[in-house]
Amino acid sequence: IGSTLAKITIDTKMFSSEFIGKFLQGNFDYLNKNTSGAAIPHLRKDILINLEIPLPPLSTQKLIVEKLDMIFAEIEKSKNLLEKNLQNVDEMNKSVLEKIFAKDKWERKKLWEVCEVIWWWTPKTEISEYWWEDIIWLSPTDLPEVWEITKISNSTKKISILWLQNSSVKLLPVWSVIFSSRATIGKIAINDIELSTNQGFTNFVCSGWVYNYFLAYALKNFTKDIIALSNSTTFKEVNKTNLRNFSIPLPPLETQKNIVSYLDNIFAENQKLKNLYQAQIKNLDEMKQSFLKKAFAGELV
């Protein structure tokens, strides 16, 4: 086994291995709070070997495991149903978008015709003066893996104003549309503060032709089509020319704003549903921990 695993040999005359497994599962949070190492946390060996284990008779241990398995099976059924409900909400959102953008009556415009399309790159890490904390420098990992469009006002990393000055790069204006076009394609954000981004993004500064939130919804809807333009199977990246020339249906500006208002209302209601399902899933996970605590406090059998 590798260095990230620990082997525990069980005295089968005294313990059921399933009982030990459930006991460790019940101490998951405690074990993970007692680690060493900043970059890659490891469980402290003394914490593991000094963990006190209750010792009921072997027959009682097996009965505890059977009851926990039965309870956990019911909890998993409920979780699976809630997770399916979450998927259904996402599918509902996608269906609403597809219906909006399936209309053929609107003229299609290439992205370069209605936006200023901007790409940046990552400065060399060895140039230390480029990494002073002056301005926000966004990378795709700063955006969550969510279906919704994200609003960005901060990030985990910042960069020096010297990089902008020496590379003739300008800050991205507020309310621009930020689209991840490399590796993980399809994350979308709208910034409410001036910032810069790394090479993983394509940025769109909207003109008077297109409303920024309408463009964000359009990009979200056509993400699959954009991914199909990527030029690699191992490390996906959308060719700049292909992305600039990608066309979207473009109704009049007032219609765009009405569509955004309509979509915002639907997605806000659907988000309430998602929040409810996620809270219920969290409660079920907490319920499992509660039953584990009861089991090893002698309150289950």
Side-chain angles (χ1 to χ4, degrees):
I1 59 175
S3 62
T4 56
L5 299 174
K7 177 184 175 183
I8 300 176
T9 303
I10 306 298
D11 183 347
T12 55
K13 293 180 180 179
M14 298 177 62
F15 288 107
S16 155
S17 58
E18 291 85 357
F19 179 81
I20 298 296
K22 291 287 192 294
F23 175 74
L24 292 172
Q25 189 178 358
N27 283 274
F28 180 86
D29 289 337
Y30 171 75
L31 294 173
N32 277 272
K33 287 176 182 176
N34 289 277
T35 58
S36 59
I40 304 177
H42 281 69
L43 173 63
R44 285 169 44 196
K45 184 177 179 180
D46 63 306
I47 293 296
L48 182 60
I49 64 176
N50 288 315
L51 199 61
E52 293 186 349
I53 307 174
L55 185 57
L58 194 58
S59 58
T60 304
Q61 294 178 37
K62 292 180 179 179
L63 182 60
I64 288 172
V65 169
E66 288 174 4
K67 287 204 170 187
L68 286 174
D69 282 343
M70 181 178 64
I71 293 168
F72 288 179
E74 292 302 314
I75 289 175
E76 283 305 307
K77 285 181 184 177
S78 299
K79 279 187 66 175
N80 290 338
L81 179 60
L82 289 168
E83 286 167 355
K84 181 63 176 176
N85 289 342
L86 281 173
Q87 292 175 7
N88 289 340
V89 174
D90 282 342
E91 291 301 319
M92 191 188 312
N93 287 340
K94 292 176 184 177
S95 176
V96 169
L97 269 181
E98 287 171 358
K99 288 179 181 177
I100 289 290
F101 288 99
K103 297 180 179 179
D104 297 327
K105 63 181 180 180
W106 298 328
E107 180 184 5
R108 295 184 77 95
K109 289 282 187 180
K110 295 179 180 179
L111 290 173
W112 69 264
E113 294 180 285
V114 295
C115 302
E116 180 185 1
V117 188
I118 299 173
W119 289 271
W120 283 312
W121 60 94
T122 302
K124 294 180 179 179
T125 54
E126 60 265 24
I127 306 178
S128 58
E129 60 266 27
Y130 282 175
W131 295 102
W132 297 344
E133 294 193 355
D134 291 335
I135 55 176
I136 289 173
W137 186 74
L138 197 68
S139 65
T141 54
D142 291 314
L143 300 188
E145 295 284 353
V146 295
W147 187 90
E148 294 78 12
I149 296 162
T150 307
K151 191 175 179 182
I152 289 295
S153 57
N154 207 342
S155 72
T156 58
K157 204 166 188 179
K158 296 188 177 180
I159 203 167
S160 169
I161 196 73
L162 287 176
W163 178 63
L164 300 186
Q165 294 170 347
N166 294 341
S167 59
S168 300
V169 172
K170 62 182 180 180
L171 285 171
L172 189 65
V174 295
W175 311 127
S176 299
V177 179
I178 302 167
F179 181 79
S180 64
S181 54
R182 193 179 192 214
T184 303
I185 299 173
K187 291 183 176 182
I188 300 177
I190 292 179
N191 58 313
D192 53 359
I193 188 172
E194 289 187 325
L195 49 76
S196 60
T197 67
N198 77 355
Q199 75 274 22
F201 289 109
T202 300
N203 307 299
F204 301 94
V205 181
C206 299
S207 67
W209 285 82
V210 60
Y211 181 40
N212 56 354
Y213 278 93
F214 179 85
L215 174 60
Y217 280 129
L219 291 171
K220 178 61 71 176
N221 179 71
F222 292 113
T223 291
K224 283 186 179 179
D225 300 303
I226 294 172
I227 291 174
L229 299 174
S230 60
N231 54 7
S232 174
T233 55
T234 54
F235 187 85
K236 293 186 180 297
E237 182 172 12
V238 183
N239 179 278
K240 294 179 181 180
T241 301
N242 288 341
L243 194 49
R244 275 173 52 84
N245 289 322
F246 189 83
S247 63
I248 60 169
L250 202 66
L253 194 60
E254 193 60 33
T255 304
Q256 294 178 39
K257 292 181 178 180
N258 291 337
I259 288 171
V260 167
S261 178
Y262 169 75
L263 292 174
D264 282 348
N265 289 334
I266 289 179
F267 295 157
E269 290 302 312
N270 287 348
Q271 187 59 45
K272 290 178 184 177
L273 275 177
K274 290 184 72 172
N275 292 342
L276 175 63
Y277 295 146
Q278 288 164 347
Q280 290 174 336
I281 289 172
K282 182 180 178 183
N283 288 339
L284 288 173
D285 287 333
E286 291 173 352
M287 190 183 298
K288 286 179 72 172
Q289 289 299 314
S290 175
F291 277 111
L292 284 166
K293 288 179 181 178
K294 287 181 179 181
F296 295 105
E299 299 174 10
L300 195 63
V301 295

